Amino acid sequence: MEQDSDYMKMRNIKNNTTAPSEHDLEISYSELNLPPASGTSQVRTAGEQEPSYAQVNFTPQSPHQGPEVTPGKGETGQETAGRSSKKSRCLSVVGLTVLMCGLAIITGLTVHVLQMDKDMTGLNGKIRNMSETLEQMLRDRRSFCTVFQNCSESLCPSGWEDHNQHCYRFSTDTVNWDSAKQQCESENSHLIIINTEQEQNFIKKFLENNPWGYWIGLTDGESEGNWKWVDGTPVSFTQWDQGEPNNWNDNENCAIIRASGWNDYSCSDQFRFICEKRALTCVEAADIEKYCS
């Protein structure tokens, strides 16, 4: 009867919708008679009593409760220290990379600036050379334009008379024939050569009121009676004075010109002389305006 009463209590607890209290479930293990474990089942004797449900002590557990594993303080510290060490190494690598990139950029900029300074120095030198060259060209242009302007006014140098694209200079000093020849050559000219009557008449205009004679570039010093001009060309036009040339005293191998005509004299005598050269190419006023305005 007592066992049936315990069984009914357990059944009522099981059917009850509320959870059993600790008082109802507390059964000491000393009151529970459990048979020893063995590999073969044992038959309970009639004298042995089965344990009642009231004598079983149950400990309530949460339906999802499992074994809790609480990490120790040492394990947590080691994990935190490991993460901190990895983070520090990453930050060090990033910082070193940034520093190297910065140094590379600064080095590149320095080299670039130095190269630019070098290029600017060379460029400034070239600019100075070009400026000097330009100034020299301007000076040459002004000089050239001055020559142009002088040529527009006269085709011959100052002190020379122009006629038919030729220039003539009448000397004021008296020398022998050889000295007169050398002086004309020193002025890029020669003793006058008269090839036409027109040229003869032009020269006579300067001699009409002049009593002196002037050496001309005519001689027969190589062969008596074979008169030649100083450029080696034969005589094609003559204007000898009456009775000339007469080679007086067998010593007259050079010719002079007077208003009356030509005459032969000794080459060592002293006379004035006439030099001749070609005039410069004519320069038109339009050319001067075009290049010198």
Side-chain angles (χ1 to χ4, degrees):
M1 290 296 292
E2 186 177 352
Q3 291 179 353
D4 293 338
S5 177
D6 292 336
Y7 176 76
M8 291 301 293
K9 287 181 180 180
M10 290 295 297
R11 186 170 184 178
N12 290 334
I13 292 171
K14 183 177 181 181
N15 294 330
N16 194 1
T17 54
T18 60
S21 63
E22 294 181 0
H23 177 74
D24 295 332
L25 297 177
E26 286 182 357
I27 301 174
S28 63
Y29 285 97
S30 60
E31 298 175 353
L32 181 64
N33 293 321
L34 297 177
S38 63
T40 58
S41 60
Q42 294 181 358
V43 179
R44 188 180 300 273
T45 60
E48 293 177 349
Q49 295 181 354
E50 294 182 357
S52 62
Y53 287 98
Q55 294 174 334
V56 178
N57 186 14
F58 293 95
T59 302
Q61 293 183 354
S62 61
H64 300 288
Q65 184 176 2
E68 292 183 1
V69 179
T70 303
K73 293 182 179 180
E75 294 178 355
T76 304
Q78 290 178 359
E79 183 177 356
T80 304
R83 287 197 297 268
S84 299
S85 178
K86 291 181 180 179
K87 184 176 181 180
S88 298
R89 286 197 298 271
C90 290
L91 290 176
S92 299
V93 172
V94 171
L96 182 60
T97 303
V98 172
L99 179 61
M100 293 179 64
C101 292
L103 290 175
I105 293 173
I106 292 173
T107 303
L109 290 175
T110 302
V111 173
H112 182 66
V113 170
L114 293 175
Q115 184 64 35
M116 287 182 63
D117 290 340
K118 182 178 179 181
D119 294 341
M120 287 298 296
T121 301
L123 182 60
N124 290 333
K126 291 180 180 180
I127 291 175
R128 284 195 298 271
N129 292 336
M130 291 178 63
S131 179
E132 293 175 359
T133 302
L134 180 60
E135 291 178 359
Q136 183 62 42
M137 290 176 64
L138 291 175
R139 287 193 295 268
D140 294 342
R141 179 177 177 271
R142 287 192 291 268
S143 300
F144 192 62
C145 289
T146 300
V147 174
F148 266 20
Q149 291 169 353
N150 292 335
C151 289
S152 66
E153 297 171 359
S154 174
L155 299 176
C156 297
S158 178
W160 293 65
E161 303 294 334
D162 63 285
H163 171 72
N164 195 23
Q165 297 183 355
H166 285 76
C167 301
Y168 303 88
R169 184 176 77 83
F170 295 81
S171 74
T172 56
D173 56 327
T174 59
V175 294
N176 60 41
W177 189 89
D178 288 329
S179 295
K181 178 177 178 292
Q182 292 174 3
Q183 288 192 35
C184 289
E185 290 174 351
S186 68
E187 299 180 78
N188 296 321
S189 62
H190 54 79
L191 280 172
I192 185 173
I193 298 173
I194 304 173
N195 289 319
T196 64
E197 186 175 0
Q198 182 183 15
E199 187 175 11
Q200 171 72 20
N201 293 334
F202 169 77
I203 298 300
K204 283 176 62 175
K205 290 191 303 181
F206 294 90
L207 305 178
E208 288 177 353
N209 298 321
N210 191 340
W212 301 283
Y214 289 81
W215 287 120
I216 61 176
L218 188 63
T219 180
D220 67 346
E222 293 181 0
S223 175
E224 179 58 35
N226 186 19
W227 293 90
K228 291 183 179 180
W229 296 108
V230 288
D231 62 354
T233 59
V235 178
S236 59
F237 169 82
T238 61
Q239 191 71 46
W240 292 106
D241 201 356
Q242 187 176 0
E244 300 296 339
N246 59 11
N247 194 27
W248 185 79
N249 202 21
D250 198 23
N251 191 28
E252 295 181 337
N253 297 319
C254 295
I256 64 169
I257 184 174
R258 291 192 179 103
S260 58
W262 304 354
N263 200 339
D264 58 341
Y265 271 86
S266 173
C267 295
S268 60
D269 288 342
Q270 303 284 315
F271 288 98
R272 297 180 180 184
F273 56 94
I274 304 173
C275 295
E276 176 187 7
K277 64 181 177 180
R278 292 190 63 85
L280 296 174
T281 304
C282 183
V283 180
E284 300 293 338
D287 295 332
I288 298 176
E289 183 177 359
K290 179 179 180 180
Y291 294 104
C292 300
S293 58

